[in-house]
Amino acid sequence: MLLRQFADAMTNRDIDVFASMLHEDFFYIEGTTMETRDEWLQATAEMFESSDHTSSNWDVTARFETKDMGAVEYTTEKNGRKMRVLNAFIYRDGKVYRQLISRVPIE
């Protein structure tokens, strides 16, 4: 389903796959930040080019998916700090329509 496809595209740093799976009205929301489809694709491409970002250092603690939504929770390190991350997706027309991400520092 879309959750696995999204994870594979992240692992493979494949912007073309992301572009094909995002709904034309896609929005990405993190905290008080919101990005359109084009803004998110550009930011993600820049992240792939400028960092050693890899999903291989994610320790997945939960995964859930239905026909209309998906979510994954994992722990990772960001800027030297351990974080618990919730990445939730709403699907529409067989594509990712909304993405909401929350990062919580682990003490």
Side-chain angles (χ1 to χ4, degrees):
M1 293 174 83
L2 288 174
L3 195 57
R4 175 81 268 154
Q5 186 181 1
F6 192 94
D8 290 346
M10 187 64 72
T11 299
N12 297 327
R13 299 175 180 232
D14 195 332
I15 290 299
D16 293 330
V17 169
F18 281 130
S20 72
M21 65 184 297
L22 298 182
H23 193 279
E24 64 183 22
D25 296 325
F26 169 85
F27 279 108
Y28 169 87
I29 303 161
E30 181 176 355
T32 59
T33 302
M34 186 168 73
E35 296 176 350
T36 65
R37 179 183 187 277
D38 291 341
E39 291 168 336
W40 186 87
L41 286 168
Q42 180 179 350
T44 301
E46 290 171 3
M47 176 185 69
F48 287 163
E49 292 172 7
S50 67
S51 76
D52 59 357
H53 170 81
T54 178
S55 56
S56 65
N57 64 356
W58 297 354
D59 180 19
V60 175
T61 54
R63 181 180 291 132
F64 176 79
E65 188 169 32
T66 70
K67 179 181 176 279
D68 298 314
M69 58 89 52
V72 63
E73 180 186 78
Y74 58 91
T75 57
T76 190
E77 228 177 85
K78 183 170 182 166
N79 301 323
R81 193 159 191 201
K82 195 166 183 175
M83 307 288 281
R84 182 175 33 260
V85 181
L86 170 63
N87 202 346
F89 305 87
I90 297 171
Y91 308 148
R92 181 175 287 176
D93 302 326
K95 295 188 177 223
V96 177
Y97 178 66
R98 297 287 187 264
Q99 179 184 8
L100 173 67
I101 193 165
S102 174
R103 301 175 201 277
V104 179
I106 298 173
E107 301 297 325

